[in-house]
Amino acid sequence: MSSQRLQEARAYEMRADREICPEERPVFHLTPRIGWMNDPNGFSYYGGQYHLFYQYHPYSTVWGPMHWGHAVSKDLLHWTYLPAALAPDTDADMDGCFSGSAVTLADGRHALIYTGVVNEVTLQDGCKRGRQTQCLAIGDGVDYAKSDRNPLLDSAALPVGISRYDFRDPKVWQEADGTYRMLCAARTEDGADTMYLLFRGRDVEHWDYERMFLRNSELEQPIGRMYECPDLFALDGQYVLLASSQDMTADGEYAAGNGTFCMIGSYDMATGTFVPTFHQNVDYGIDFYAEQSVLAPDGRRIMLGWMQNWDTIQHRPDNCKWYGQMSVPRELSIRNGRLYQWPIRELEAMRRNPVSYQGATIGGSATCDAADAGMHGGSDALIEPITELDGIRGRVADLEIEIAAATQQEPFERFTIGLAVDDTHHTDVIYLPEESLLIVDRRHSGVRRALANVSSARVSPQGETRAIRLRIILDRYSAEIFVGDGEQVLSTTFYTEQTADRITFSARGMAQFHIVKYDLAGSLQGMR
Ligand code: FRU
């Protein structure tokens, strides 16, 4: 039996989402059915399709009492909304159903394990502090019943000194021996240290504390102040811990603020020990957080994240009816000791109308046979000739671009790709070959807030010509830039009017580039 609060949410979303026409949404990135979305939750393959739940506040486009929204897909690109799965409606979660994960039980039912929040304290500034506990709901892929035994894990299970207000985001999986493990994010009461804790379950209802899985203060270089949203899985013979953290400081690898990281290492199930040997940023762009992964039936490990960031949520269009979206799903692999990400191959089936230019040169005296479109650039930009190419434009597109110096003797200093361009707006992807830097800069996209609008990744140019390959996925309000074979990714959102659909190229020095551009077409998000 669903509660009144859940029934209200379901009735509301069914009425309200009719106000959003498909053209107002991205084509293949999942957005909330109505209202607000943050983290992906319960990402799983169940009953012959992928299920993706999400942190959801249907009643407004700002964060509020958290529900779980729900959508399903066969290919992770065409989504069908299902009714909201969870509402905050029991003694264990009346102020929010926070992030969590999903597993399929031996009897075929689908189990959601999430954080229940109940506000206990109001701070001087009016902010509420919620007690956080781990809860369970079991269902059939549409309707979920919360366990009478909730909360299954509360502060009584925590080691001494760990805060009951920062204990969340359970990632549950089943081990080969049939027992379960749960990783949760936690923090000390004094706020000085953060960690992931490991719990052991003989089933999904009975849990015991096992050990400290990863402790920030024990890292050579601590990362941030509050871990969130863990995920752990085997990949290419090693183990990967995906993680997010609040309050990071910039240090070359990570940018300041909320960000994501991953650790590659070994994990021993018998002792619950994880030994990381390498860590890196997961997404060097502006908007990416709280990633989760799923194991596809064909063995691929596929990840996506909330393509937004707590530090940038004031960047929003006026009067939006939805806010927040997921990144494109990405296939993961470990190569050269790093995590590589590549847009899921299903996206290639959506490619239409290829337009290609091989060996276009630009910069100095441009010899490209394309029309010169004049000049643009911010106040700090030097004047560079800007080129557009016939047939290369659009806001829903898949671009493959190779950039290199036109000749080995003559280095180039900079290559800029302008996205979502009109006479006043542009979001730039800037390659600085000498510095081995790739920058995404949305300051001129129409953004009205001076928040993080520029970010960068260190890249590995090839050979004397400092060649680099990029794949850029555009979907109306975003760009995701994959470098090389996916060794770095930079994601950014922007809300420039859709009429700004020009794509421009400019260079300081003589550069040569090859480009293939596809439109990406697909039937739009459906409703049930
Ligand atoms: C991460 C997060 C989680 C929490 C959820 C609340 O973005 O803060 O730690 O469960 O969002 O919506």
Side-chain angles (χ1 to χ4, degrees):
M1 271 302 280
S2 61
S3 69
Q4 197 184 339
R5 234 173 149 183
L6 185 61
Q7 280 173 25
E8 272 166 22
R10 288 179 165 192
Y12 177 77
E13 62 182 3
M14 219 156 66
R15 275 197 317 276
D17 77 352
R18 293 197 197 112
E19 287 167 27
I20 306 179
C21 61
E23 291 70 33
E24 291 175 86
R25 297 184 189 266
V27 173
F28 53 92
H29 287 75
L30 184 69
T31 49
R33 186 161 179 182
I34 182 78
W36 163 275
M37 159 194 279
N38 57 290
D39 312 357
N41 292 157
F43 194 17
S44 51
Y45 189 83
Y46 176 76
Q49 55 189 346
Y50 295 98
H51 288 251
L52 183 59
F53 303 83
Y54 51 90
Q55 290 286 280
Y56 183 35
H57 187 237
Y59 304 112
S60 78
T61 54
V62 295
W63 191 87
M66 280 291 107
H67 297 57
W68 275 34
H70 190 184
V72 289
S73 176
K74 293 263 187 216
D75 64 358
L76 294 168
L77 298 168
H78 299 87
W79 293 97
T80 302
Y81 292 115
L82 292 186
L86 301 177
D89 55 12
T90 68
D91 289 347
D93 62 20
M94 66 177 107
D95 293 303
C97 300
F98 276 18
S99 287
S101 50
V103 284
T104 302
L105 302 178
D107 62 10
R109 292 177 303 160
H110 202 209
L112 309 181
I113 301 97
Y114 66 98
T115 299
V117 180
V118 177
N119 289 336
E120 270 190 355
V121 186
T122 304
L123 303 176
Q124 268 176 347
D125 61 5
C127 283
K128 302 246 190 326
R129 299 210 76 185
R131 174 169 53 87
Q132 302 186 344
T133 60
Q134 312 323 318
C135 299
L136 172 72
I138 296 186
D140 60 0
V142 180
D143 295 310
Y144 293 83
K146 292 180 180 172
S147 168
D148 295 338
R149 301 191 60 254
N150 284 343
L152 303 178
L153 261 177
D154 62 15
S155 54
L158 291 173
V160 176
I162 304 299
S163 169
R164 61 207 261 148
Y165 303 119
D166 283 309
F167 172 37
R168 59 179 174 272
D169 304 343
K171 162 68 192 181
V172 172
W173 70 95
Q174 191 173 27
E175 292 287 7
D177 67 358
T179 58
Y180 289 86
R181 297 292 181 280
M182 179 196 292
L183 270 183
C184 282
R187 173 150 65 176
T188 51
E189 278 161 356
D190 63 5
D193 201 2
T194 181
M195 65 278 303
Y196 290 123
L197 302 176
L198 184 67
F199 297 84
R200 186 175 191 283
R202 62 172 192 269
D203 51 41
V204 285
E205 289 202 308
H206 300 89
W207 296 95
D208 294 304
Y209 175 66
E210 179 128 320
R211 65 188 308 275
M212 186 74 62
F213 188 78
L214 185 85
R215 190 171 190 134
N216 203 34
S217 59
E218 285 171 6
L219 299 179
E220 241 167 66
Q221 268 189 310
I223 305 176
R225 286 263 174 88
M226 173 67 214
Y227 292 170
E228 300 187 303
C229 305
D231 194 356
L232 181 78
F233 47 85
L235 185 68
D236 296 335
Q238 304 198 58
Y239 271 84
V240 176
L241 173 72
L242 294 177
S244 296
S245 184
Q246 300 173 348
D247 303 323
M248 292 195 184
T249 49
D251 71 350
E253 179 63 14
Y254 302 106
N258 278 44
T260 51
F261 62 97
C262 87
M263 293 194 160
I264 300 176
S266 58
Y267 164 68
D268 177 20
M269 182 199 68
T271 59
T273 318
F274 178 65
V275 182
T277 49
F278 177 74
H279 66 94
Q280 68 173 83
N281 201 336
V282 176
D283 193 305
Y284 298 82
I286 303 167
D287 298 303
F288 190 83
Y289 199 65
E291 69 275 32
Q292 280 203 351
S293 74
V294 67
L295 187 63
D298 61 7
R300 285 177 295 164
R301 179 59 64 171
I302 298 170
M303 175 195 81
L304 48 69
W306 179 40
M307 194 161 51
Q308 203 59 69
N309 189 315
W310 293 109
D311 297 305
T312 61
I313 53 177
Q314 290 172 43
H315 174 42
R316 49 172 57 231
D318 297 335
N319 306 319
C320 54
K321 297 173 199 139
W322 59 266
Y323 187 71
Q325 59 179 301
M326 296 301 167
S327 71
V328 76
R330 303 162 182 187
E331 294 180 16
L332 300 184
S333 56
I334 298 178
R335 287 188 239 175
N336 311 314
R338 285 185 66 87
L339 184 76
Y340 276 53
Q341 304 170 50
W342 200 243
I344 45 163
R345 59 195 69 165
E346 285 82 345
L347 192 62
E348 283 153 39
M350 291 174 65
R351 286 173 160 183
R352 306 276 184 279
N353 314 323
V355 178
S356 114
Y357 290 82
Q358 298 299 311
T361 52
I362 184 172
S365 52
T367 58
C368 179
D369 59 355
D372 238 11
M375 313 287 179
H376 82 221
S379 49
D380 64 336
L382 286 189
I383 300 297
E384 294 166 14
I386 296 180
T387 291
E388 286 178 50
L389 299 172
D390 261 357
I392 307 265
R393 67 189 301 153
R395 289 285 287 270
V396 186
D398 189 343
L399 304 162
E400 292 174 336
I401 306 170
E402 284 181 53
I403 304 159
T407 65
Q408 289 209 355
Q409 294 71 37
E410 247 187 305
F412 66 113
E413 281 170 50
R414 169 157 112 166
F415 189 95
T416 304
I417 305 162
L419 303 170
V421 178
D422 64 15
D423 290 344
T424 38
H425 301 109
H426 49 100
T427 290
D428 294 330
V429 180
I430 302 161
Y431 172 42
L432 302 178
E434 292 309 318
E435 288 90 331
S436 303
L437 261 193
L438 190 75
I439 300 170
V440 59
D441 179 349
R442 67 167 181 211
R443 284 173 303 165
H444 299 275
S445 67
V447 59
R448 290 178 192 278
R449 305 249 64 93
L451 28 78
N453 287 317
V454 182
S455 69
S456 62
R458 217 152 269 291
V459 296
S460 308
Q462 301 295 302
E464 299 273 299
T465 59
R466 313 294 289 167
I468 193 179
R469 275 183 296 121
L470 304 177
R471 180 162 174 207
I472 303 180
I473 307 296
L474 295 174
D475 190 5
R476 289 199 173 128
Y477 304 100
S478 64
E480 290 161 276
I481 303 142
F482 294 79
V483 182
D485 294 324
E487 49 261 50
Q488 290 90 17
V489 188
L490 298 90
S491 305
T492 184
T493 58
F494 43 78
Y495 298 103
T496 323
E497 287 295 325
Q498 294 302 310
T499 47
D501 67 348
R502 282 157 40 199
I503 295 173
T504 60
F505 304 92
S506 64
R508 197 185 297 169
M510 278 287 266
Q512 186 180 60
F513 65 108
H514 312 301
I515 179 165
V516 186
K517 177 239 162 188
Y518 304 87
D519 295 325
L520 289 171
S523 56
L524 296 162
Q525 294 184 16
M527 279 175 286
R528 199 166 108 164

